[in-house]
Amino acid sequence: MFVHKLPKVRAITFNKYGSPTEVLRAVTYQLPPLTPTTLHLKFLASPINPSDINQIEGVYPVKPNFRTLGEHEKTAVAGNEGVAQVIGVGDKVEDIKIGDWVVMGKSAFGTWRTHADATPDDVIRIPHEGIGIVRAATLTVNPCSAYRMLKDFVALKEGDFIIQNGANSGVGQAVIQIAKAWNINTINIIRDRQNFQELKDFLKSIGATYVISDKDLQAKNREFEWNKDIEGKGIALGLNCVCGKSVISMAKLLRHSSPLITYGAMSRQPLTIPASQLIFQDLRFFGYWMARWNKENPKAKRMEMLNDIIELIKQGKLRDVVCEENNWGGDDKEDVSDDVLTQRFLEIFKKATEEFRGAKQIIKMI
Ligand SMILES: NC(=O)c1ccc[n+]([C@@H]2O[C@H](COP(=O)([O-])OP(=O)(O)OC[C@H]3O[C@@H](n4cnc5c(N)ncnc54)[C@H](OP(=O)(O)O)[C@@H]3O)[C@@H](O)[C@H]2O)c1
């Protein structure tokens, strides 16, 4: 067993549900010693995803693990996604070695911290050559959701068209790029904004076929620029990140009997659909949740998906999500107080909740 000096863990935690700015605080505790069957991890980076926020608020179905961390009782470490490097491996652990990069095997691990002890079941080793820290830290949620939604609901053929709202989201960017790699065309709806043209150009640069604002989509009697392209085949799949009334105009464009998948509710509004879209258009409405898919499917199928996605990354077909990388600190190089770490984290957190920010916030621990 490789024995290393046990580091102090600096973690962003909460001990009750509530508004993140009120309940989150940094704590420090000693990493528990390695056992023959455990691993020691050093986190490299973690994103702040919308579901992390919902989890802290207590409205996400996956509940965190409230437990004792050092002297802190009933405390949960926040964060569900991230990439870590293995820095300690128990004698009886097979197939994982020091230096490997791992991502989380399930939600609610608590990734907003500098170090953690884990079991091999908690993690998935990834072949990280050719993958940057940001893409590795954001691998298991957004690209996997995009991959599954494009694959599992309708048999898309090369040249087919799909439509999605929230197209500049992390999931939306992955949908555009994976679809492009599979020769599927995407019609992408984003909210109107001052820098609409700039965002449109960016989404086209990563492979979007068409980009339209929600306002233009809702304008009556519009001749859409893609009408000629979809003649005879229509739009085969809709992906809904946003909910609210704006989904009506997107759903109206889907071909008869096609699926509309709801995976997010960024507007925090209910999904509003007229009966005619069910009765006459015969649309099929589904929900998608990555956590459920992970639970219901064997690890081998998950590995097959991750390997496909990693291959796309290595081929340059799936870039880093648009992001801001934030050096949170917290490692041994800097001996700052928990209060300072809390304040630093909340500043990053604030950016993650700003509308039209256009970038995922990444917390870097190195
Ligand atoms: N079901 C699943 O398995 C699954 C998996 C991954 C993600 N998700 C969900 O998918 C959604 C996007 O996640 P993400 O990680 O891709 O998010 P993200 O990268 O943080 O992007 C957030 C997106 O939401 C848009 N948005 C923010 N506030 C909005 C509002 N009031 N009305 C309409 N659009 C708004 C943003 O657009 P602007 O630029 O216009 O602000 C942006 O496109 C979240 O709801 C998340 O929980 C679900």
Side-chain angles (χ1 to χ4, degrees), residues 290-350:
M290 195 68 230
R292 183 173 53 231
W293 188 93
N294 288 337
K295 207 165 156 201
E296 289 175 353
N297 285 275
K299 201 167 179 182
K301 206 167 169 198
R302 192 164 178 202
M303 282 318 299
E304 183 185 290
M305 166 177 67
L306 283 170
N307 287 335
D308 278 359
I309 292 172
I310 287 170
E311 200 44 44
L312 290 178
I313 297 167
K314 289 185 172 167
Q315 291 169 3
K317 293 179 178 169
L318 183 58
R319 309 194 207 167
D320 284 359
V321 64
V322 175
C323 69
E324 284 178 35
E325 297 179 37
N326 300 276
N327 288 313
W328 173 54
D331 61 15
D332 282 347
K333 280 178 269 170
E334 215 189 0
D335 198 15
V336 291
S337 69
D338 287 345
D339 282 348
V340 170
L341 280 187
T342 305
Q343 278 323 309
R344 271 194 203 160
F345 183 82
L346 290 180
E347 276 160 34
I348 304 169
F349 185 84
K350 200 167 140 239

Side-chain angles (χ1 to χ4, degrees), residues 49-51 54 141-142 145 166-172 191 193 241-242 263-267 288-291 355-358 360:
N49 285 326
S51 53
N54 298 152
V141 181
N142 290 345
S145 302
N168 63 323
S169 65
V171 178
R191 289 198 288 178
R193 65 195 69 225
C241 168
V242 174
Y263 68 93
M266 286 307 298
S267 66
Y288 180 76
W289 191 29
M290 195 68 230
E355 293 195 31
F356 302 110
R357 181 91 195 176
K360 193 169 281 294

Side-chain angles (χ1 to χ4, degrees), residues 50 53-54 57 59 242-244 265-270:
I53 301 171
N54 298 152
E57 291 168 339
V59 295
V242 174
C243 286
M266 286 307 298
S267 66
R268 296 200 173 219
Q269 297 297 311

